[in-house]
Structures are given as structure tokens and as C-alpha cells.
Amino acid sequence: MKKSLRRALWAGAIVAVAGAAVPVVQASAAAACAPAWSSTAVYVGGNSASQNGHNYNAKWWTQNESPATHSGQWDVWADQGTCGGTTPPPTTAPPTTAPTTKPPTTAPTTAPTTQPPGNGGKNVVGYFAEWGVYGRNYHVKNLVTSGSAAKLTHILYAFGNTTGGQCSIGDSYADYDKAYTAADSVDGVADTWDAGALRGSFGQLKKLKKLYPNIKVIWSFGGWTWSGGFTQAAANPTAFANSCYNLVHDSRWDGVFDGIDIDWEYPNACGLSCDSSGPDAYNKVISALRTKFGSSAVITSAISADGSNGGKLDVADYASGISKLNLVFPMTYDYFGAFAPQGPTAPHSPLTSYSGIPTAGFYSDAAIQKLKSKGVPASKMLLGIGFYGRGWTGVTQSAPGGSATGAAPGTYEAGIEDYKVLKNSCPPTGTVGGTSYSKCGSNWWSYDTPGTITSKMTYAKNQGLGGAFFWEFSGDTSNGELISAIKNGLG
């Protein structure tokens, strides 16, 4: 699936908000030019590119934002000055301070100890997107004001990087450096610049846990953009697990995270990049993490929801890895979308099959049943819900299966829009496969509503699933309509 492609697309619209200025460092005019900037390439914090005779360094995630026009004080690129020559300077990794290592654990590779959630035995798990604090202006405090925090069992913080087969920081400014005012802070207390003070989303999550001690916070690593490092991790799972443990338990934010989540897209298959580590690689990585973190840690994983014969779920030994997990999140959304610009139009998160579905096995129930057939316990599986829609334009047919000319316009990226926008701009006109769709003018969208979510939660209960998870908080309304439907539907 392309869940994290959506993450990447949304992230491309990031614009920094008021906060500490990121200093612009001028490089020598004699510096060699970095590789030429490409509008289609994905750049992350520390990556270099050149344009119009200047070198630029990316401050955070970006795609299709020209350095020449996005290098102001508060913008994504830092102008490093003029350049010449053809030898590119090295691309630096995101800045981090060496972590303080805790004494290693030596727990055996055993099944985890799973504590029952406080929601009638069902889990409600939501992704908090690291980059949402920028253009989306969505912060940890919004979990409180929307009423979402009171409905949660777990928060997945997305994402940490996997550079060089090691767990590493994704965005240090958003993670632990951004200073929050009293008005924007969870507890009404402003962040300080005192030595050792924890700021950023990590600091806010720590405050949130004091108010809601039942919530477990899990640091998710990888995603669509940063899954490439898992190939190297699979070559030395022990070294990977050690790096992850040291980072999750770094003394600067120790106590924020209750565990780790692995979002590998995809083991022994292709996502943004292709992996050929073999069918046992996923199990080896998860086993090494369980050995290092111990049986009491929360370890989870987002996995493919490809229910087709011979698809992604069939090319890796997911079942063995899942046996060491507390929970697993089949990504039962992004089956279809305007990444196929001419269509056919189809709901991106169908629960069941329907006549005319473009690809057999691309629906939620197919993935759930396939995983059950592989021996995965239903109680470990959560059903995935998208708090957004996918859409096409140039569509004349109201029912699914129509042709299109491209992606429908979206606030952050074409082809994608939040539920909170779509509920008003393009209300549902029909349902298919257990989810809704709508046609407005020549635009065609599919997305879940409180009503379709309620039906999906009935399915989750009937199947004995462990609850539901969703991507991601900022797509919901300010009063949490969708998370309320999940919570109430599971209750």
C-alpha cells in the first residue's frame, strides 16, 4: 500500500511556523556543487542540492519546493552560497547528539507480555505525524482540545529514520527542540531554554502522559520514505536493535516512549525502494528488537495489507515476526488512488470486495483473512482507518470504475484531502465495499465517514480484532468526529 506515500506527499507542503530561527550557514564560494536539485526527488534534513550556481541544504522533509524560491529564513532550504566544480559535497545526516546508553537487556526472544487496554479490551491507536507541527499547525495539545486523548490507548509517533541500518532522528527541531509557549503547551507551562530542558513534540508528549497515564507512546521508524535503511538493518539485526534501544531510551527524553514500531515498506518486496533480504528478514529484525527491548516493552509493526495471491503478504514470513509483537497494523487503506491518474476510480479503503474492484485481494477483509490463515491471532490485528480521502478529476461517471484525467486538487497535494475538508466540500453520494464515495463536479473522492467507520468497527468486533488504528490525527475535525466513531463503535 502507499500509506506513507501519502505521508510524504503531505509533508511536501510543510511551511515552518514561528519558532526558533534555523541559522543559515554560508558556504565558501569555492565549494563544489552538490547534485542538481530535482523536483521529483525527496530530500530530508541535511540533504544537499544545487540550483542556479548555489548550494542549498534541506532543513527538513521536502519535495517539489525549489531551493531558489524556498530558502528564506523560515523556509525549507538554507542557502549555502555560490558553488563551482563538479565534485558534490557529502550529504550530512540529520544532526543528533550521541545518545546516552542504558545498560543492555538480555531478555530472551519470547512472546511479549500484553496488557489489556482500557477500552473494553479494544485498542484505539492513532498516528501523530512529526511534520504536522509545520504547515498543518497540529500539535500535541490538539489531542487534548479535540477530545482525542481521552479516547486513545496508544499514540504512534511517526517517524524516526533508518539511515545506514540504524535508528536515527527524523527531524530534531520538531522532535525535541521547538519551544512551545504557555498557550500552546499541553499543561499551560511554557518551554524553557535551560540546559537539559526537553522541548518539541517529545516534551509535549511527556506532559500528555502525565495527564493521561493510560496512553502508551510508541516511536515508529521507517514509513514510505525512510524504509530503505531496513535492508541494511536486516543484514545486522542485532546492531540495528541496539541502535534503536539506545535512541528510544536516550536520557534526554527517557520516559517519553513505551516502545517501538517498525513500519517497513516492504520486506522482500518493493516500496519506494526494493528489498531482497529474503523471506526471513522481517522475523530476524523483529526478533532482535524483542531480545534487546525485553518482554515488557511494547513492540508493534505496520505491515502490508495486500490480500492478493502471491502479493506482499506472501513473500515474507510475517507470521513469525508478528508472534513477537504486541500488536500489528495491516495498512488497510491506500489500495487505490490517483497514483493511477487515469483511474479507474475506486475507494481507497474498501472493507469488502465488490463487482468491478480493480485488483483482486485489494480490500481489508482479504488481508485480515490471509493473515488469520497464516496463524496470526485476530486479537493482535487492528483494522486501519484513513482520516483522509483520495480523489481524481476529469471524472464523468458517478459510480466507481470511471476514467479520470488526473488527481483531484487537494489542500496539501493533489489527489489527497482531509476528512474535515471533504465532509463539507464534497459530501458522500454513495457507498461501495463498506466505505463512501462522492462526486462533485468532475472530482471523485472516496473516504470514510462516522457512519462507515461504525460499520467497520462492527466488522472488527465480529472478527475478534484487537481494535483499530488510524492515519492520522490532523485529518479529523476539531472535535474528533472520526476518533469518536472508532471509540464508540468498538465500545
Side-chain angles (χ1 to χ4, degrees), residues 108-120:
T109 303
T110 57
T113 302
T114 304
Q115 299 299 320
N119 183 45

Side-chain angles (χ1 to χ4, degrees), residues 128 130 155-160 174-175 201-202 205 218-220 257:
F128 184 93
E130 175 184 67
I155 295 170
L156 291 163
Y157 185 84
F159 287 103
D175 291 347
S201 293
F202 288 4
L205 287 168
I218 309 167
W219 197 347
S220 183
F257 298 106

Side-chain angles (χ1 to χ4, degrees), residues 257-297:
F257 298 106
D258 299 284
I260 186 171
D261 174 78
I262 298 302
D263 188 342
W264 183 353
E265 303 182 26
Y266 298 96
N268 210 38
C270 294
L272 182 61
S273 59
C274 291
D275 175 75
S276 57
S277 300
D280 60 341
Y282 177 78
N283 178 47
K284 287 180 178 178
V285 169
I286 298 300
S287 296
L289 289 167
R290 178 56 71 189
T291 297
K292 183 63 181 179
F293 278 76
S295 60
S296 62

Side-chain angles (χ1 to χ4, degrees), residues 31 87 109 374 389:
T87 304
T109 303
K374 294 177 181 293

